[in-house]
Amino acid sequence: MMEEGSGGGRSNYNRMNDAKNERRVGLIYDQRMCKHRTPYGDDHPEKPDRITVIWNKLELAGIPQRCVILNAKEAKDEYICAVHSKNHVNLIRNISSKEYSKRNRIASKLNSIYLNEGSSESAYLAAGSVIEVAEKVAKGELNSAFAIVRPPGHHAEYDEAMGFCLFNNIAIAASFLLDQRPELGINKILIVDWDVHHGNGTQKTFWSDPRVLFFSVHRHEFGSFYPANFDGFYTMVGEGPGAGYNINVPWENGRCGDADYLAVWDHVLVPVAKEFNPDIILVSAGFDAAVGDPLGGCRLTPHGYSVLLKKLMDFAQGRIVLALEGGYNLDSLANSALACMEVLLEDKPISELSEAYPFESTWRVIQAVRQMLSAYWPTLADKLPTKLTDQKAPPHILLSSSEFDDEDDEASKIISKDLVQAIEDVVEPILNLKIEDYHGNEVKSKFFCF
């Protein structure tokens, strides 16, 4: 492998790779980010093992030897302050030096956050590492990169840590490229958030900014799935000059898998990406939509992730940065990350997905999103042919967020079409209520055309 700061020394393997024009892929991992852990040593989904299992899996597959290994660096306050308030930055910077009991009191007032003596350093390293790989990809020194970082970031808002996230790593990196490094010529950034939870913090950061096209596909369940609000509603499209540059694809139910995500890529994301023509793509790479995740309850496979990523490689000359977000089943997390690294290295051709169909609810969501965004993206104006949307999996609804994920669990029940219709009849009037955006402006609020 080639390490940053190695004085330019190159191994024979790296020289052979250059001769073959293999893509130069960056990789960041630093055990210091494992210092962020629960203060009492309790088990928690967002734990240090998340990044160590990824690194161990990649090492076992010989991936680091084929990559440019970069050193993790702490982000500067000035870059973080482009996304977060000074009060928030000061809080995270100083939190680890505070008295144990005071630190715990602060954490108890936040939404799904724990803090310890290693939290400050880990948060700064996570944000700085994503900046580091993003800058090198933007410069052309790397073709693509993966930042194996924690704590994750996409839930963190301007003045609040939440949802396991302290700093919004991907938003800080995007802001850095646009505002701190204009000489790199990065004028349009596509952020793809495939974490199973909505990237509320990232959305709010670029709500009025047409330089960033933010795309999030996530479980929503009519506002009941975390972060449990209407920010992830498909009607939330941005405002002012940023109107149309915020795209939400909100799943109505869990158990969405490869066929559902592929349908969204083919009929929403890819057409818009062609029209937007980004200079670089930043991926909020949460792997909690993977099969077996205890929080996600969806069914993306490692192969599914590889197909989604491969489709993104067609844009921005393949300049893609992956930053780890969620993912709490250690096996699925590691396997999915490996699948993505193999794509970045162009290790092997990606075969088509097996013949499976999206859920009826998936087609309903896709058509609602297309209709909502067609005023901004003419490529979405045409109605999808009935012959296509009639290809669908049997209807069902997941009764709970995660506890029924086992295929053989009797709770994984197929619910009759009559019951599905009954639920929709109850939900539709609620979803036609008036909804306001972040500034109190009424937005179109009809959710789906049942």
Side-chain angles (χ1 to χ4, degrees):
M1 76 184 74
M2 179 181 179
E3 295 190 9
E4 186 186 60
S6 61
R10 300 299 305 268
S11 68
N12 288 333
Y13 189 89
N14 279 325
R15 280 193 282 271
M16 283 194 302
N17 285 345
D18 284 347
K20 294 177 182 177
N21 293 318
E22 183 169 285
R23 290 172 56 84
R24 288 173 57 81
V25 179
L27 195 57
I28 279 187
Y29 165 80
D30 194 310
Q31 287 188 330
R32 289 178 291 171
M33 284 180 272
C34 293
K35 294 180 181 179
H36 174 63
R37 59 181 71 234
T38 55
Y40 300 110
D42 300 334
D43 191 30
H44 190 279
E46 207 296 283
K47 53 192 173 185
D49 289 350
R50 295 180 59 244
I51 60 173
T52 58
V53 295
I54 293 176
W55 183 254
N56 292 340
K57 187 74 172 184
L58 297 184
E59 279 199 314
L60 192 63
I63 296 295
Q65 289 77 12
R66 301 170 58 193
C67 295
V68 179
I69 305 301
L70 303 171
N71 295 324
K73 296 180 180 178
E74 293 191 9
K76 294 181 180 180
D77 282 355
E78 63 178 298
Y79 303 149
I80 302 174
C81 283
V83 170
H84 295 289
S85 70
K86 287 185 178 180
N87 286 340
H88 180 70
V89 174
N90 289 337
L91 173 67
I92 301 303
R93 186 201 308 118
N94 299 318
I95 195 67
S96 292
S97 60
K98 291 185 181 296
E99 185 183 86
Y100 182 87
S101 58
K102 186 173 183 179
R103 194 165 56 229
N104 287 345
R105 282 199 303 272
I106 293 172
S108 69
K109 296 177 182 178
L110 299 171
N111 182 342
S112 303
I113 290 291
Y114 64 78
L115 299 165
N116 77 329
E117 64 276 4
S119 298
S120 298
E121 182 181 24
S122 297
Y124 272 84
L125 285 169
S129 295
V130 181
I131 290 175
E132 179 72 4
V133 294
E135 182 176 23
K136 290 191 178 297
V137 171
K139 284 181 176 179
E141 295 177 14
L142 299 171
N143 297 105
S144 57
F146 184 18
I148 307 171
V149 297
R150 64 177 294 273
H154 70 151
H155 290 309
E157 298 190 352
Y158 177 70
D159 201 33
E160 183 180 3
M162 61 178 291
F164 311 160
C165 303
L166 302 184
F167 288 145
N168 195 316
N169 308 317
I170 208 89
I172 292 167
S175 177
F176 173 84
L177 294 180
L178 292 169
D179 299 327
Q180 299 294 330
R181 294 292 182 269
E183 71 276 8
L184 299 180
I186 301 298
N187 300 311
K188 293 188 291 183
I189 297 177
L190 168 61
I191 297 179
V192 175
D193 190 331
W194 67 40
D195 188 281
V196 78
H197 303 96
H198 179 239
N200 54 288
T202 311
Q203 171 171 300
K204 290 183 179 180
T205 301
F206 302 109
W207 183 246
S208 303
D209 195 337
R211 300 174 300 172
V212 175
L213 174 61
F214 176 65
F215 172 90
S216 179
V217 54
H218 48 271
R219 276 186 77 173
H220 188 254
E221 298 185 17
F222 311 105
S224 65
F225 195 74
Y226 192 88
N229 54 42
F230 281 98
D231 286 355
F233 215 41
Y234 79 90
T235 54
M236 303 297 277
V237 298
E239 70 175 3
Y245 291 91
N246 194 88
I247 301 178
N248 286 315
V249 180
W251 295 141
E252 294 181 17
N253 49 265
R255 304 175 74 85
C256 294
D258 294 355
D260 303 281
Y261 280 81
L262 181 60
V264 169
W265 253 239
D266 287 346
H267 302 294
V268 179
L269 178 56
V270 169
V272 173
K274 285 180 182 177
E275 200 168 328
F276 182 65
N277 190 24
D279 298 314
I280 193 171
I281 299 175
L282 307 182
V283 180
S284 271
F287 295 105
D288 44 5
V291 172
D293 190 273
L295 301 187
C298 286
R299 295 179 171 273
L300 261 176
T301 67
H303 182 65
Y305 280 112
S306 68
V307 173
L308 301 182
L309 182 56
K310 189 71 172 179
K311 287 179 176 287
L312 295 180
M313 298 279 285
D314 291 337
F315 303 100
Q317 299 177 315
R319 293 194 289 187
I320 296 180
V321 172
L322 272 63
L324 183 64
E325 298 283 2
Y328 308 103
N329 178 305
L330 298 184
D331 289 336
S332 288
L333 173 63
N335 290 332
S336 300
L338 173 59
C340 288
M341 282 303 300
E342 289 175 338
V343 172
L344 295 183
L345 287 163
E346 295 188 336
D347 187 55
K348 56 188 177 183
I350 305 298
S351 59
E352 290 296 320
L353 291 168
S354 59
E355 192 166 317
Y357 298 130
F359 293 127
E360 180 180 9
S361 62
T362 295
W363 288 124
R364 188 160 56 239
V365 170
I366 289 173
Q367 292 187 96
V369 172
R370 286 173 61 94
Q371 182 179 357
M372 186 71 201
L373 273 296
S374 61
Y376 308 99
W377 304 100
T379 187
L380 301 181
D382 292 341
K383 189 173 181 180
L384 297 178
T386 303
K387 184 178 180 180
L388 175 67
T389 57
D390 280 346
Q391 298 177 341
K392 54 199 175 189
H396 75 271
I397 293 177
L398 185 63
L399 298 179
S400 173
S401 295
S402 61
E403 64 245 59
F404 303 140
D405 193 54
D406 189 340
E407 282 273 15
D408 299 320
D409 195 308
E410 66 173 358
S412 300
K413 296 177 180 178
I414 302 300
I415 298 180
S416 71
K417 290 185 178 181
D418 289 342
L419 182 53
V420 171
Q421 186 61 53
I423 293 172
E424 290 172 349
D425 289 344
V426 171
V427 169
E428 184 178 13
I430 299 172
L431 296 175
N432 281 316
L433 296 174
K434 293 181 179 179
I435 299 171
E436 295 181 347
D437 64 18
Y438 306 130
H439 302 282
N441 301 312
E442 184 182 338
V443 296
K444 296 179 182 178
S445 59
K446 187 166 179 62
F447 194 72
F448 300 121
C449 298
F450 293 112

